[in-house]
């Protein structure tokens, strides 16, 4: 069974640009969540999608958005990039998002904003 | 708001036991988790404990939960060099919304 796949693995952008990151969950998983990991702020929750609907959102500005497709694949978009958006973006999936469910993480997309 | 604290570094000798500690503030958490992150990789769920339990053992891993003191610990018996990684404790704030601690970097000395 394939794990959570995130593409691309690395990305370099400049300030003001926008970026789209992709996440393919484990087959059969319908809940996809996104996290930002930085040395200064640690791991922070961005948002969670289930059946194409955003169920939960963290404390990030509106420049961060996401969506989920009918096949449960998800994308997140960051517009008007800032230097502080440089981070490892992690996607995770589970069956339905229940608290006792095992959450599987991808290897992440390392975004560098210059 | 919620706060989850961990010490930043821990070094142990191969074969010894490691104990990683975590304190949290949100007493309403139903589950508490331990994740492991190796260099260049995502997070791997090691174990979790339901909030009405005091202890959970899973092979070399033992989780202790003191709800009164809001203290969680992870003990790794017979620590190996492959256990070198960053360990995060986390609690739930909603559907797949985990609040992570700062992480403890475990270094195992051969």
């Amino acid at each position: 069974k394939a794990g959570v796949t995130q593409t691309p693995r690395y990305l370099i952008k400049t300030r003001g640009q926008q970026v789209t990151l992709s996440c393919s969950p484990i087959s059969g998983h319908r809940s996809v969540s996104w996290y930002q990991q930085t040395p200064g702020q640690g791991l922070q929750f961005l948002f969670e999608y289930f059946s194409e609907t955003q169920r939960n959102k963290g404390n990030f500005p509106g420049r961060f958005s996401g969506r989920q497709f009918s096949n449960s694949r998800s994308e997140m978009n960051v517009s008007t990039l800032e230097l502080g958006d440089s981070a490892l973006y992690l996607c995770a999936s589970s069956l339905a998002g229940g608290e006792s469910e095992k959450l599987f993480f991808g290897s992440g997309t390392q975004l560098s904003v210059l | 708001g919620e706060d989850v604290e961990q010490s930043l570094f821990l070094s142990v000798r191969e074969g010894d036991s490691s104990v990683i500690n975590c304190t949290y503030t949100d007493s309403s958490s139903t589950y508490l988790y331990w994740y492991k992150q190796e260099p260049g990789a995502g997070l791997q769920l090691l174990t979790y404990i339901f909030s009405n339990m005091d202890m959970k053992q899973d092979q070399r891993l033992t989780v202790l939960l003191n709800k009164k003191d809001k203290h969680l610990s992870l003990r790794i018996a017979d620590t190996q060099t492959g256990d070198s990684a960053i360990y995060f404790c986390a609690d739930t704030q909603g559907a797949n919304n985990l609040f992570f601690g700062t992480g403890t970097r475990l270094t195992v000395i051969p």
Side-chain angles (χ1 to χ4, degrees):
Chain A
K1 203 173 187 179
V4 178
T5 305
Q6 290 189 247
T7 55
R9 186 74 178 90
Y10 301 95
L11 208 47
I12 299 174
K13 292 285 187 179
T14 56
R15 276 182 300 173
Q17 287 187 309
Q18 75 161 19
V19 68
T20 299
L21 312 182
S22 180
C23 172
S24 293
I26 290 172
S27 177
H29 285 192
R30 294 167 64 194
S31 171
V32 175
S33 50
W34 289 87
Y35 289 82
Q36 181 196 65
Q37 186 176 25
T38 60
Q41 299 298 315
L43 279 152
Q44 296 185 90
F45 172 77
L46 280 155
F47 28 65
E48 188 258 356
Y49 286 87
F50 179 79
S51 291
E52 301 177 67
T53 301
Q54 187 183 90
R55 289 197 297 194
N56 214 339
K57 189 177 188 310
N59 189 24
F60 278 82
R63 299 185 297 107
F64 291 81
S65 63
R67 59 178 175 167
Q68 187 180 34
F69 302 95
S70 58
N71 61 358
S72 295
R73 192 177 71 84
S74 177
E75 290 181 346
M76 70 162 279
N77 185 277
V78 187
S79 62
T80 320
L81 283 165
E82 300 177 0
L83 295 178
D85 298 333
S86 294
L88 179 66
Y89 290 88
L90 292 164
C91 166
S93 76
S94 71
L95 284 167
E99 284 184 317
S100 64
E101 290 178 11
K102 202 167 181 176
L103 189 59
F104 293 85
F105 281 82
S107 298
T109 294
Q110 183 68 55
L111 172 65
S112 298
V113 182
L114 307 178
Chain B
E2 169 68 335
D3 192 23
V4 179
E5 295 284 340
Q6 299 178 239
S7 51
L8 290 179
F9 303 100
L10 176 66
S11 290
V12 298
R13 293 212 171 271
E14 191 173 17
D16 287 350
S17 292
S18 308
V19 179
I20 302 170
N21 295 301
C22 171
T23 57
Y24 59 96
T25 58
D26 185 357
S27 58
S28 67
S29 299
T30 310
Y31 290 90
L32 293 142
Y33 307 84
W34 283 103
Y35 280 83
K36 175 183 179 183
Q37 186 176 35
E38 294 178 271
L43 293 122
Q44 173 194 354
L45 176 64
L46 288 176
T47 186
Y48 63 90
I49 188 167
F50 190 50
S51 59
N52 70 353
M53 296 171 66
D54 298 325
M55 185 183 89
K56 180 179 178 181
Q57 187 149 2
D58 185 359
Q59 299 182 334
R60 292 192 298 124
L61 306 178
T62 303
V63 179
L64 295 177
L65 175 61
N66 182 326
K67 280 198 77 173
K68 177 174 162 289
D69 295 338
K70 297 180 186 172
H71 183 265
L72 182 73
S73 69
L74 173 70
R75 178 178 180 269
I76 306 172
D78 187 25
T79 313
Q80 303 297 306
T81 54
D83 295 323
S84 292
I86 302 176
Y87 290 81
F88 294 91
C89 63
D91 68 2
T92 49
Q93 302 290 304
N96 281 350
N97 176 0
L98 299 181
F99 194 98
F100 286 90
T102 48
T104 299
R105 183 180 296 273
L106 173 65
T107 301
V108 182
I109 304 161

